[in-house]
């Protein structure tokens, strides 16, 4: 039997009236939420997943909170993966308002040149985000119900968005609304760049004589580099015949590992000594290794640089600078000394810690001038902006800024684009350039440990494991 | 009988050793052109924790804008069982030394298997597969860890970590009210050893070996006629006095690299060595 033609099931004007009433009701009693569409950066076929997403747009819209007595869901629970907040939210949007004021703008962005935009923008989409300002939370749309209430006067007027708190991984959230973007500022995998602020050139002086003008070590020959070292051994020299402590030679050993064998790579003098009439004996003790042996040759005529004294360690050295020592007066035995600098941290400043004597030289009559090269950058500039992309000048690695501390020059970054072609990370000494701010500071060190995640023990396991485990070869799962 | 206090933290050390295996696993994400855009180290933690501590450390300011960060790995000890296949005599002991000075007597350790469950949770199957492929090839089906179980006796034991099974839960079906849950579960067995109390031994460290030889087997009347003595000798100047002598030999520690001094003596004095008086009588 056909419908009675004298009773209408809803006219267009009635439907418009109902829609207007709903819109007005939402504007009275709703909450202004921010709708943030998801852009698909990379989609994995076969296993059908959006691997990489970004959220860089925002639309304000009024929404009625259906669950007005509180969030739904399981609430805060402790799982084996840490605390998980399982809050859920159901909100109602006006269909007309969404289709008139959000969908056209989303569609307008899809000009066909950007594959990262989802091509169905006429309705709210599952996977998009909704920022709920009262709770300052980011909800992900799980399901869009479009038929509840069910065809009043022959039409549906609202969307119901069933949402659950967002599970964050490494998605870019850059809506330009600071309140929203900073919600994930401390979340995810965050690594740290220690940058160098204002640089200053280091200075040092050379000493060419002890209590007696000659009898210093000229070279150290590593006769046997040994094996099995687990820590740096102590290098000892027999005492100088002068009996003066300052005349005793001192040196430091450096280790190297190849394959599974750790041996001494080199021995560098911190004091070439004075007053030796015969080559001193060298003892190599400690460090857990065996077999290492070294001998020395001495210079008993003429003077050379026996040690360096750092008068100013400078600031801002990302890599060890070149040390240039003035040559001795020209003569038959003249030979210019060679030194090498080592850097380290003094507080948060990277400075020259010491200068080792590689070759004391010969034929000096006065202490030569020591010139230490400038740090990579004498003055960094600017301030990095939250969420901007930074790039290493030499490594070309890109990352996204989470936070920058202008005082300590610590730059927290995420989404580091270390690829298979660049497995090392940022180079010490290279400049990190802010792509938006233009800020530039050189790198002192890059730390890949995430010390900001509140539920991770990766570092603790590594530290504690170092005292327990004996990886006679190497840890196949990688080491810190 | 029971009641001697000791605690070697062996189970805790086994947990740490197990965790160290998986604490440096990374995953990477690419853009549409295949360029890496993100590198993440997968957070790892031991699952069980005190509830109030978890709440305070992970949700100190109460509000949390997101549910949780992904991916994550968690592991926990699931069972402890005696392994009779590795049983050794209960009364068997071995000696070791502490700090190179004191001898220690240690009963043979008791073999125990500790079960571990490693869980990998991610929101992308691709993430889980990246993690799995960095773990599974190392277990065939075991991977040996050499662990210093008791520091005081320097006892390093090989502990095989055996991968027993790999399972996963992927709840992708059903209505849209529940989110997809993707958890891989790897079951492991660590074949560790538990040590009893470590006792001080009345025996000292052996610093000299002396063998007397006789020309007759008559223990009452035969006198020693030849003596072989071995003592360790240092081959470096340990006290840094410029000479290598007896003083350096005395500084030798059990773990040092040293040589031996052999001495042969011949006797015709019809005496015999008395172990109690430590002289010839």
């Amino acid at each position: 039997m056909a419908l009675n033609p004298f009773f209408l099931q809803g006219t267009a004007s009635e439907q418009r009236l109902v829609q207007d009433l709903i819109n007005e009701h939402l504007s009275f009693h709703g909450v202004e939420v921010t709708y943030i569409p998801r852009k698909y950066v990379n989609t994995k076929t076969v296993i059908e997943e959006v691997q990489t997403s970004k959220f860089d747009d925002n639309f304000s819209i009024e929404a009625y909170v259906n669950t007005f007595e509180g969030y739904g869901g399981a609430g805060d629970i402790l799982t084996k993966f840490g605390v998980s907040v399982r809050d859920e939210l159901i909100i109602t949007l006006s269909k007309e308002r969404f289709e008139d004021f959000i969908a056209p703008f989303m569609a307008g962005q899809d000009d066909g040149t950007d594959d990262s935009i989802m091509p169905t923008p006429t309705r709210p989409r599952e996977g998009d985000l909704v920022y709920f300002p009262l709770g300052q939370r980011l909800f992900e749309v799980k399901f869009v119900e479009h038929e509840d209430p069910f065809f009043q006067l022959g039409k549906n007027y609202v969307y119901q968005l069933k949402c659950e708190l967002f599970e964050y991984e490494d998605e870019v959230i850059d809506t330009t609304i600071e309140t929203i973007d900073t919600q994930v500022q401390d979340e995810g995998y965050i690594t740290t760049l220690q940058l160098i602020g204002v640089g200053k050139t280091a200075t040092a002086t050379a000493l060419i004589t002890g209590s007696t003008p000659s009898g210093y070590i000229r070279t150290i020959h590593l006769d046997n580099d040994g094996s099995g070292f687990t820590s740096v051994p102590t290098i000892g020299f027999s005492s100088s015949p002068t009996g003066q402590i300052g005349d005793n030679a001192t040196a430091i050993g450096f280790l190297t590992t190849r394959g599974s064998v750790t041996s001494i790579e080199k021995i560098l003098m911190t004091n070439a000594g004075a007053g030796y009439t015969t080559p001193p004996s060298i003892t190599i003790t400690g460090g857990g290794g065996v077999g290492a042996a070294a001998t020395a040759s001495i210079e008993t005529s003429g003077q050379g640089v026996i040690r360096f004294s750092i008068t100013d360690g400078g600031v801002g050295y990302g890599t060890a600078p070149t040390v240039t020592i003035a040559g001795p007066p020209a003569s038959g035995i003249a030979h210019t000394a060679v030194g090498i600098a080592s850097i380290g941290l003094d507080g948060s400043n990277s400075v020259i810690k010491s200068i080792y004597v590689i070759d004391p030289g010969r034929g000096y009559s006065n202490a030569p001038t020591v010139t230490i090269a400038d740090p990579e950058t004498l003055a960094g500039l600017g301030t990095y902006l939250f969420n901007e992309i930074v790039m290493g000048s030499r490594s070309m690695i890109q990352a996204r800024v989470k936070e920058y501390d202008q005082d300590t020059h610590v730059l927290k970054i995420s989404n580091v684009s270390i690829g298979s072609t660049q497995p090392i990370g940022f180079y010490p000494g290279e400049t990190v350039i802010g792509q938006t701010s233009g800020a530039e500071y050189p790198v002192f060190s890059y730390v890949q440990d995430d010390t900001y995640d509140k539920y991770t023990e990766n570092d603790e396991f590594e530290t504690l494991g170092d005292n327990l485990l004996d990886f006679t070869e190497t840890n196949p799962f990688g080491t810190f | 009988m029971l009641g001697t206090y000791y605690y070697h933290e062996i189970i805790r050390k086994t947990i740490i050793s197990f965790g160290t295996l998986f604490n440096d696993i990374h995953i990477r994400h690419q853009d549409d052109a295949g360029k890496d855009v993100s590198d993440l180290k997968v957070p790892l933690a031991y699952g069980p924790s005190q509830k109030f501590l978890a709440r305070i450390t992970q949700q100190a300011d109460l509000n949390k804008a997101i549910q949780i960060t992904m991916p994550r790995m968690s592991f926990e000890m699931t069972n402890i069982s005696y392994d009779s296949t590795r049983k050794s005599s209960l009364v068997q002991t071995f000696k070791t030394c502490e700090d190179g000075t004191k001898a220690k007597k240690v009963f043979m350790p008791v073999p125990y298997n500790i079960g571990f469950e490693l869980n990998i949770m991610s929101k992308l199957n691709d993430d889980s597969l990246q993690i799995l492929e960095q773990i599974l090839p190392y277990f065939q089906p075991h991977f040996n860890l050499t662990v210093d179980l008791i520091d005081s006796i320097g006892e390093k034991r090989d502990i095989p970590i055996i991968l027993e099974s790999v399972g996963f839960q992927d709840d992708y079906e059903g209505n849209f009210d529940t989110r997809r849950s993707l958890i891989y579960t790897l079951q492991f067995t660590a074949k560790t050893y538990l040590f009893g109390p470590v006792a001080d031994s009345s025996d000292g460290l052996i610093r000299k070996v002396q063998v007397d030889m006789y020309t007759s087997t008559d223990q009452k009347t035969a006198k020693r006629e030849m003596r072989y003595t071995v003592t360790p000798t240092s081959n470096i100047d340990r006290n840094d006095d410029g000479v290598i002598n007896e003083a350096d030999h005395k500084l030798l520690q059990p773990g040092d690299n040293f040589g031996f001094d052999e001495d042969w003596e011949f006797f015709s004095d019809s005496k015999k060595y008395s172990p109690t008086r430590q002289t010839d009588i």
Side-chain angles (χ1 to χ4, degrees):
Chain A
M1 184 179 172
L3 290 173
N4 189 332
F6 298 102
F7 291 89
L8 295 175
Q9 302 300 315
T11 62
S13 57
E14 285 175 321
Q15 291 171 347
R16 277 197 300 275
L17 175 63
V18 173
Q19 183 74 66
D20 287 345
L21 288 171
I22 287 173
N23 292 354
E24 196 163 340
H25 174 74
L26 285 173
S27 67
F28 286 163
H29 303 292
V31 176
E32 186 164 300
V33 300
T34 305
Y35 186 84
I36 309 166
R38 177 192 291 259
K39 293 182 178 176
Y40 299 4
V41 177
N42 186 19
T43 304
K44 286 274 183 182
T45 56
V46 182
I47 57 175
E48 295 298 328
E49 287 174 342
V50 179
Q51 189 199 53
T52 312
S53 305
K54 65 178 177 182
F55 300 88
D56 62 354
D57 220 335
N58 69 84
F59 301 96
S60 289
I61 188 167
E62 62 283 359
Y64 182 74
V65 180
N66 295 30
T67 50
F68 53 85
E69 287 185 324
Y71 298 116
D76 299 3
I77 59 171
L78 181 61
T79 72
K80 60 183 67 172
F81 301 100
V83 173
S84 180
V85 185
R86 302 280 173 85
D87 287 342
E88 295 179 1
L89 187 72
I90 300 175
I91 58 173
T92 299
L93 305 181
S94 160
K95 192 176 179 190
E96 181 184 72
R97 288 275 295 155
F98 187 90
E99 290 172 355
D100 287 353
F101 295 99
I102 295 181
F105 292 100
M106 289 165 64
Q109 290 184 340
D110 188 7
D111 58 2
T113 58
D114 187 354
D115 292 336
S116 66
I117 296 179
M118 188 179 179
T120 55
T122 56
R123 67 170 182 86
R125 306 172 310 193
E126 289 79 5
D128 290 351
L129 299 185
V130 171
Y131 178 69
F132 181 59
L134 299 181
Q136 295 183 318
R137 295 180 176 200
L138 281 165
F139 285 90
E140 181 179 346
V141 180
K142 286 193 301 186
F143 182 63
V144 177
E145 173 61 65
H146 66 292
E147 292 177 330
D148 183 15
F150 189 66
F151 291 101
Q152 305 294 302
L153 294 174
K155 192 183 175 188
N156 294 319
Y157 306 96
V158 293
Y159 292 118
Q160 264 188 24
L161 274 53
K162 296 183 177 176
C163 309
E164 187 173 325
L165 271 178
F166 183 46
E167 288 178 334
Y168 181 68
E169 189 170 17
D170 61 348
E171 293 84 354
V172 173
I173 297 182
D174 190 14
T175 62
T176 69
I177 300 174
E178 190 179 351
T179 316
I180 297 175
D181 298 345
T182 52
Q183 295 301 325
V184 292
Q185 188 171 22
D186 297 325
E187 306 289 349
Y189 176 51
I190 301 171
T191 53
T192 309
L193 274 168
Q194 175 65 57
L195 302 175
I196 298 165
V198 179
K200 186 173 68 166
T201 305
T203 56
T205 57
L207 190 73
I208 61 166
T209 181
S211 66
T212 179
S214 193
Y216 58 90
I217 294 176
R218 184 68 194 278
T219 54
I220 292 177
H221 306 279
L222 190 58
D223 302 323
N224 189 332
D225 59 357
S227 62
F229 288 96
T230 54
S231 62
V232 177
T234 303
I235 311 296
F237 293 85
S238 54
S239 302
S240 168
T242 64
Q244 301 293 317
I245 293 175
D247 289 346
N248 293 335
T250 53
I252 291 175
F254 292 83
L255 299 179
T256 183
T257 301
R258 179 163 293 180
S260 60
V261 181
T262 299
S263 55
I264 296 177
E265 181 187 16
K266 58 190 173 185
I267 296 174
L268 299 180
M269 289 182 282
T270 47
N271 184 350
Y276 286 101
T277 52
T278 56
S281 62
I282 300 176
T283 55
I284 300 171
T285 53
V290 293
T295 53
S297 65
I298 60 170
E299 185 69 48
T300 53
S301 61
Q303 290 176 289
V305 175
I306 61 169
R307 67 172 181 266
F308 295 96
S309 175
I310 295 171
T311 46
D312 186 340
V315 174
Y317 286 96
T319 53
T322 305
V323 177
T324 307
I325 301 155
S331 72
I333 62 165
H335 184 81
T336 304
V338 180
I340 185 171
S342 78
I343 60 171
L345 273 182
D346 179 13
S348 62
N349 292 324
S350 54
V351 302
I352 305 289
K353 284 285 188 183
S354 52
I355 301 176
Y356 301 113
V357 180
I358 300 285
D359 181 350
R362 190 167 59 175
Y364 285 98
S365 53
N366 294 305
T369 307
V370 179
T371 308
I372 301 172
D374 293 338
E376 287 81 356
T377 306
L378 281 170
L381 58 93
T383 301
Y384 297 103
L385 302 174
F386 171 65
N387 247 340
E388 77 165 321
I389 292 173
V390 293
M391 187 165 76
S393 59
R394 279 192 285 143
S395 63
M396 308 303 282
I397 290 176
Q398 291 189 335
R400 196 167 279 267
V401 173
K402 284 282 192 181
E403 189 179 352
Y404 178 57
D405 188 326
Q406 183 77 42
D407 297 327
T408 59
H409 301 294
V410 170
L411 181 66
K412 296 185 195 173
I413 52 176
S414 66
N415 297 60
V416 180
S417 63
I418 298 176
S420 54
T421 55
Q422 180 49 266
I424 300 169
F426 290 91
Y427 293 122
E430 74 169 324
T431 305
V432 173
I433 305 163
Q435 301 299 289
T436 306
S437 65
E440 290 186 16
Y441 290 91
V443 175
F444 176 71
S445 63
Y446 175 50
V447 180
Q448 291 195 45
D449 302 340
D450 182 358
T451 56
Y452 308 104
D453 192 304
K454 299 178 184 70
Y455 188 60
T456 174
E457 294 176 319
N458 298 49
D459 302 342
E460 283 83 349
F461 284 127
E462 187 67 21
T463 307
L464 295 169
D466 283 346
N467 298 325
L468 298 176
L469 296 178
D470 179 11
F471 285 110
T472 50
E473 295 182 356
T474 54
N475 184 348
F477 297 90
T479 53
F480 276 64
Chain B
M1 186 185 81
L2 301 177
T4 305
Y5 178 77
Y6 62 95
Y7 180 41
H8 303 306
E9 294 189 324
I10 287 176
I11 296 175
R12 182 172 176 268
K13 287 173 183 172
T14 309
I15 291 172
I16 292 167
S17 307
F18 183 82
T20 310
L21 283 175
F22 310 106
N23 70 344
D24 197 23
I25 291 176
H26 289 241
I27 64 166
R28 286 177 183 169
H29 289 162
Q30 294 79 33
D31 64 10
D32 201 38
K35 177 179 174 290
D36 285 314
V37 292
S38 181
D39 175 281
L40 294 91
K41 180 186 285 185
V42 183
L44 172 76
Y46 187 66
S49 70
Q50 220 168 6
K51 277 196 167 181
F52 77 85
L53 193 61
R55 170 85 165 155
I56 287 172
T57 54
Q58 296 171 50
Q59 235 180 336
D61 51 359
L62 293 176
N63 195 34
K64 198 172 177 184
I66 57 170
Q67 184 176 102
I68 196 169
T69 55
M70 297 275 204
R72 288 195 171 272
M73 290 198 296
S74 155
F75 72 98
E76 60 189 84
M77 185 172 62
T78 52
N79 63 73
I80 301 176
S81 60
Y82 181 76
D83 184 359
S84 57
T85 61
R86 291 183 287 143
K87 180 180 180 179
S88 57
S89 169
L90 287 175
V91 294
Q92 201 173 337
T93 62
F94 64 93
K95 287 196 174 68
T96 182
C97 67
E98 181 182 13
D99 305 330
T101 54
K102 284 191 290 185
K104 294 281 186 182
K105 186 173 72 176
V106 187
F107 282 95
M108 287 298 284
V110 185
Y112 266 87
N113 292 344
I114 299 181
F116 284 103
E117 182 178 285
L118 175 71
N119 292 284
I120 303 164
M121 181 170 71
S122 67
K123 65 179 191 179
L124 301 176
N125 205 358
D126 189 59
D127 292 346
S128 293
L129 298 180
Q130 288 190 44
I131 296 167
L132 270 184
E133 288 200 20
Q134 293 176 68
I135 294 175
L136 299 186
Y138 293 103
F139 294 90
Q140 303 189 39
H142 73 278
F143 180 82
N144 266 342
L145 280 177
T146 305
V147 185
D148 193 358
L149 286 175
I150 305 184
D151 186 45
S152 64
I153 62 171
E155 178 71 5
K156 290 182 180 176
R157 290 264 166 175
D158 278 352
I159 298 180
I161 310 287
I162 302 166
L163 176 58
E164 304 282 1
S165 66
V166 181
F168 68 94
Q169 166 201 339
D170 186 355
D171 297 334
Y172 68 93
E173 293 175 294
N175 63 30
F176 289 89
D177 290 343
T178 53
R179 184 179 267 161
R180 179 187 188 185
S181 171
L182 196 56
I183 298 177
Y184 280 75
T185 304
L186 282 65
Q187 302 285 352
F188 293 90
T189 299
K191 289 180 166 295
T192 192
Y193 298 90
L194 296 181
F195 283 76
V198 177
D200 287 334
S201 169
S202 55
D203 303 333
L205 293 179
I206 298 172
R207 291 190 173 273
K208 179 181 177 183
V209 175
Q210 176 180 311
V211 179
D212 285 358
M213 297 177 207
Y214 299 75
T215 54
S216 167
T217 55
D218 184 344
Q219 295 184 0
K220 289 183 179 175
T221 58
K223 304 296 182 186
R224 51 98 179 94
E225 297 190 17
M226 192 165 70
R227 174 171 291 165
Y228 173 60
T229 311
V230 179
T231 51
T233 56
S234 175
N235 46 17
I236 59 172
D237 183 11
R238 294 184 183 277
N239 56 6
D240 203 21
D241 62 354
V243 291
I244 299 174
N245 54 19
E246 189 63 30
D248 298 302
H249 305 333
K250 287 181 178 175
L251 294 175
L252 279 171
Q253 301 296 326
D256 290 341
N257 186 23
F258 56 84
F260 292 101
D261 189 9
E262 292 179 301
D263 193 18
W264 291 92
E265 295 173 88
F266 295 90
F267 300 98
S268 57
D269 56 1
S270 297
K271 288 186 177 179
K272 190 176 180 181
Y273 183 75
S274 166
T276 52
R277 299 185 192 180
Q278 302 217 338
T279 183
D280 293 334
I281 56 173

